[in-house]
Amino acid sequence: MAPVEFTVTGGEGSPLDFVAALTPIKSFVVVTDPGGWAQVSQGLAMGHPASTAVAMRVRVLRFAVLDLRHFPSASALPSITDVPGDLVALHDTRSWDSAPVVRAVRGLGRPVVLFTAAHTWVSDVDSESVLMGWSAPHVVIAVPRGPGEGRVEDVVFQFRELERRRMITYTALPAPPPPDDRAVSVVVALPGATEGIAGALRPGADYEVWVRVGPHHVPLPGDLELRAVLGMNGRAVQSEAFVLPADAASPWVSFPVTTPYASVPWSGELVIYRGAVPVHVEQVVLPVGGGESKTRLRFRLSRTFADLEPLSSRVASIMVLGQRALVAAGGDPHWVSLDGGCELPPVSGMDPWYGKDFPAFCADLAGLAVRGAALHGRLFPDGGVVRRGAVITVAGETRVPWASVYDLPFADGPYRVCASLQRFGPFGVGGAVPPGCPEPDHSGNVLCPFGFWGLSSVLEQPAGPLAWQVAPRSRPVEVAMAVDPGLDRTLTQRHVAELMSFLPPESISSAYVSPPELARALSDERADVMHLVYDERALDAVDVDGWPHRPLVVMTSPAAHLVDAFVNQAGAAGVICPEVAVDQGMAGWVSGMVLARLAEGMSAGEALRRTRWEMLGRGNVMGLAYTLHAGADLRLH
C-alpha cells in the first residue's frame, strides 16, 4: 500500500478524550498512547480478552480489550465477538500482521482502537480512520485523505511543521452532557405505615415525612455520610444522619410531624448536609385540608453527590432563605433572623495608592467591626464562635458582606487596637500572616483583624454545582478582558499594564465591548478567565448561552444580580466581585492581585483572603467587600 496524506489538527485533552469524541463516527483509531493503554488494560489477564469501562470527559468508553502480543498468530486468538464493549481495543504486535484482525472486527461494525508504536506502519487506513499522537501540550489528530497506510510518527512531524509555520488549526472537545440530577424523594405517610399517601392531610394530625436520596448511574468514591434536616414552619428543626451507599439509594429517613390546625398549605425546607455544608435544599409544601404535596428545588452544590468529599473539611455554614438563615456549626442547625442586614459603611477619602493613614484606617475598620459583631451576635445568640483558619460556606442569595462578620465582642465607642493591627496595618512591619492572632489578650473592646471572618478564615459563597478546576495543566491560563468604552481610558490602560506585569502578556486579550454587545462577545469567548471591567449598574442582565467550558468570571463592579445567570445558566465555574461600588483604578489593582495568585496555582478562597491582607497593609478595608461566588478550592490549574 502507498503512504497516505493527512489532514492534521490539534486539540487539548488526552488521546482517549478524543477517542470518545470521534467514535463511532470513525471506525478505526490508530493511537500511540502508553498511558491510555494502561487505563484500558487495567486488570487484563494475560491471554484472555476482557471488558472494561473508562470514564472520560466526553463520555464513558466501554471497551472489549485484547492484547495481541500474548498470542503467536492470529489463528490463536480467542473469540472477542461475545465480549461486551462499544469499542474493541487492541494492542499491536511486532510478531505477525494484525491487519486481518482489525479488518475482521471492523467488518462486524465495531470501531477498533489500535494501540501501536509511533514508527509502526499501519495498513488499511482510510477516510473513516484517525491517527493520533502527542506533541506537548497537544493531541495530534490526523484523518487520511484516502486509503493506504500511515504511521503516527509522520503525523506528529507534519503537525510540528505546520505549528512552526502557524498554519495549524485546533479542534475543541465537545462539552460533556450534563449528568442526570440525582433525585431526592419526599413522601408523606401515616405513622407506622409501609407506603406513602397522596392528597390532602388532616389538620392537627400526626404524620411522617420520609426522605431518601435515590440511586444514580455515577457511582460514589465510597459510602457518603450525610445528614437530612427538616424545618417546617412553626416547628423545631429535626435532624437525622444517614449513609448514602457508593452504588445504591440511601435508606429512608423518617421525621414525625404534626400538621397545623388551620387548613392551609404548610411549607418548610428539607436540607441535605455533607458535614456542615448544605448540598441540596428543597422547599416542601404539605397540603393541610386540600391539595397535593409539592417540592421545589431551591439550591444544590452537586447533581450527582459524587464530588462532595472535599466539603467534609468545612467547619460552618449559613443557608440564607430570604430574611432568615439556617446556621450549622458543629451541632444541629438553628434558624436566625437576618432582618436589618449588615451593609458596609461608606468608605471614601483614599490616597492615590488606595489606602489611608493609620487613624483613618482604624476608624473604617471599627465601623465594620460594629456591624460585624452585631451580625455575629444574631448568628450565634448563645455566644458560639466558629473555629478560625478553616472554610466557612454561605449558600443562597444574599447581599450581606459575610467577610465583615466580627467574632469578638465590639460596640460603638472607645476601643483598644490589637498589636497585630499595628503590625499588619498601614506602615506596619508586615511579614507573613500567621494562622491566628499572635496576641493572647483580646479582652474588652478590642479591634483585631483576625476577628473578621474574611481575614481569619476562607469564605466561599457558591451559587450552584461546584467546579474544582478551570483550565488544563498543559497550557498557560488565558484571560479575556472586556472593557466598557465609557470608562476612563487611562485607568483602563494602566489596568492592562498591571495585569501584564502579573501574567504572561501573550495570555491576555482585551477589547472594548459596550454593555449591549457583551452577551454576544462572551458567547464566542473560550478563555479560562472572563475579566469584565464595567461600571456599577452598567450591566442589567447578561443572557449568555452555555459555555463549552467552565470559566471563572472576575468583575470590577457589584454583580450579585448576574451571578445566577453566569453560574447556573452559562455554566461558569464561579464569580469574584465586590459587594459595593469600587473606584475603577482600585478595582483593577485588586483584580490583578487576585488573578496573579490564581495563576500561581493558589486556590480561589486563599487567593482572595491573601489579597484582603495585602489591601489591609496599605490601609484599605475594602477587601472585606469582595465575595467569592464559587468553591474555595477552585483552581485555575
Side-chain angles (χ1 to χ4, degrees):
M1 285 189 177
V4 298
E5 294 184 354
F6 304 94
T7 300
V8 181
T9 61
E12 291 185 355
S14 72
L16 287 186
D17 285 326
F18 283 93
V19 169
L22 294 170
T23 55
I25 301 171
K26 301 294 184 180
S27 62
F28 185 28
V29 178
V30 180
V31 57
T32 299
D33 182 22
W37 174 254
Q39 286 182 272
V40 170
S41 63
Q42 186 173 10
L44 179 66
M46 182 177 295
H48 297 277
S51 181
T52 187
V54 182
M56 305 310 300
R57 285 166 54 183
V58 178
R59 63 186 174 97
V60 176
L61 292 173
R62 293 177 173 83
F63 289 102
V65 188
L66 186 62
D67 194 334
L68 304 183
R69 297 172 297 180
H70 297 161
F71 303 93
S73 66
S75 60
L77 293 178
S79 172
I80 201 169
T81 306
D82 299 329
V83 180
D86 304 322
L87 298 84
V88 176
L90 304 176
H91 197 294
D92 205 359
T93 176
R94 297 180 183 180
S95 302
W96 44 271
D97 183 14
S98 60
V101 177
V102 174
R103 197 179 308 123
V105 176
R106 291 180 71 185
L108 297 174
R110 302 180 77 180
V112 174
V113 182
L114 181 67
F115 292 84
T116 188
H119 58 272
T120 301
W121 286 98
V122 178
S123 58
D124 288 347
V125 298
D126 51 33
S127 59
E128 298 301 314
S129 306
V130 179
L131 275 70
M132 286 198 298
W134 180 259
S135 179
H138 296 103
V139 174
V140 180
I141 308 157
V143 177
R145 293 177 180 171
E149 63 179 357
R151 55 182 181 176
V152 174
E153 186 176 60
D154 296 334
V155 168
V156 174
F157 175 81
Q158 185 174 339
F159 174 84
R160 288 172 178 166
E161 183 65 18
L162 291 173
E163 191 177 38
R164 185 183 65 82
R165 298 178 186 179
R166 298 187 178 180
M167 297 172 60
I168 199 71
T169 58
Y170 295 94
T171 300
L173 285 168
D180 298 330
D181 297 340
R182 189 158 197 162
V184 176
S185 303
V186 179
V187 176
V188 181
L190 293 169
T194 58
E195 61 182 30
I197 60 174
L201 308 182
R202 300 192 312 274
D206 293 334
Y207 292 92
E208 292 179 351
V209 175
W210 298 347
V211 177
R212 182 179 71 165
V213 179
H216 199 271
H217 69 273
V218 177
L220 303 179
D223 292 351
L224 196 63
E225 295 182 1
L226 301 173
R227 178 173 294 273
V229 172
L230 181 67
M232 301 301 296
N233 291 344
R235 302 289 188 268
V237 173
Q238 300 182 69
S239 175
E240 189 72 31
F242 66 97
V243 174
L244 178 61
D247 54 359
S250 72
W252 287 99
V253 177
S254 177
F255 297 103
V257 297
T258 301
T259 57
Y261 287 98
S263 295
V264 294
W266 187 32
S267 65
E269 277 73 36
L270 167 70
V271 187
I272 305 296
Y273 280 88
R274 168 55 175 163
V277 180
V279 297
H280 186 98
V281 182
E282 287 189 7
Q283 183 185 48
V284 178
V285 180
L286 302 182
V288 180
E292 297 287 338
S293 299
K294 298 179 182 177
T295 61
R296 179 174 68 91
L297 180 67
R298 301 194 68 166
F299 177 80
R300 67 180 168 200
L301 291 185
S302 175
R303 292 179 179 272
T304 65
F305 286 72
D307 52 355
L308 299 178
E309 184 57 36
L311 299 183
S312 59
S313 63
R314 278 45 172 171
V315 296
S317 71
I318 302 164
M319 180 68 221
V320 180
L321 297 168
Q323 293 301 312
R324 58 179 187 156
L326 191 61
V327 180
D332 289 339
H334 61 275
W335 287 106
V336 300
S337 173
L338 294 180
D339 289 340
C342 179
E343 295 183 356
L344 290 166
V347 175
S348 60
M350 293 186 183
D351 60 30
W353 297 274
Y354 313 119
K356 290 188 176 184
D357 59 30
F358 191 76
F361 159 73
C362 288
D364 288 343
L365 201 61
L368 285 172
V370 170
R371 292 168 168 80
L375 178 57
H376 187 270
R378 291 204 299 273
L379 295 175
F380 301 98
D382 58 354
V385 177
V386 175
R387 177 172 61 85
R388 295 175 179 177
V391 181
I392 301 172
T393 305
V394 179
E397 295 184 9
T398 172
R399 294 302 301 273
V400 174
W402 296 100
S404 67
V405 173
Y406 192 73
D407 63 13
L408 295 172
F410 198 87
D412 200 3
Y415 58 84
R416 178 171 59 87
V417 175
C418 179
S420 64
L421 188 60
Q422 296 173 325
R423 175 182 172 184
F424 297 108
F427 309 108
V429 296
V433 178
C437 183
E439 303 301 323
D441 182 13
H442 290 95
S443 59
N445 215 33
V446 61
L447 184 62
C448 175
F450 289 91
F452 291 96
W453 275 5
L455 296 169
S456 64
S457 300
V458 173
L459 281 169
E460 61 181 4
Q461 194 170 322
L466 293 172
W468 306 100
Q469 180 179 312
V470 173
R473 296 179 181 273
S474 56
R475 58 164 173 77
V477 172
E478 297 178 0
V479 179
M481 182 175 173
V483 184
D484 189 342
L487 293 178
D488 186 299
R489 294 291 180 101
T490 301
L491 291 177
T492 298
Q493 291 169 359
R494 185 171 76 182
H495 178 32
V496 174
E498 287 176 342
L499 280 183
M500 289 183 174
S501 68
F502 289 130
L503 304 170
E506 64 273 11
S507 68
I508 302 170
S509 62
S510 61
Y512 288 100
V513 181
S514 62
E517 299 171 345
L518 181 62
R520 181 190 58 80
L522 292 181
S523 297
D524 297 335
E525 185 55 63
R526 297 296 180 266
D528 307 310
V529 177
M530 309 293 189
H531 184 27
L532 308 185
V533 184
Y534 287 82
D535 204 355
E536 184 185 15
R537 294 184 294 273
L539 301 176
D540 294 329
V542 180
D543 185 14
V544 182
D545 294 333
W547 280 305
H549 60 322
R550 300 197 68 181
L552 174 65
V553 180
V554 179
M555 302 281 295
T556 59
S557 59
H561 61 297
L562 300 174
V563 170
D564 182 70
F566 279 136
V567 174
N568 294 314
Q569 177 181 317
V575 179
I576 297 177
C577 64
E579 296 287 336
V580 296
V582 178
D583 173 81
Q584 180 188 348
M586 189 181 81
W589 169 59
V590 175
S591 58
M593 287 191 293
V594 173
L595 288 174
R597 287 179 167 86
L598 289 171
E600 292 172 357
M602 197 176 293
S603 65
E606 185 62 20
L608 188 53
R609 189 186 75 89
R610 294 200 187 186
T611 298
R612 293 189 184 110
W613 276 103
E614 188 161 338
M615 296 172 70
L616 199 78
R618 197 175 287 199
N620 187 323
V621 302
M622 295 303 293
L624 297 172
Y626 276 78
T627 298
L628 171 65
H629 294 281
D633 299 320
L634 175 67
R635 297 176 188 271
L636 291 187
H637 279 306

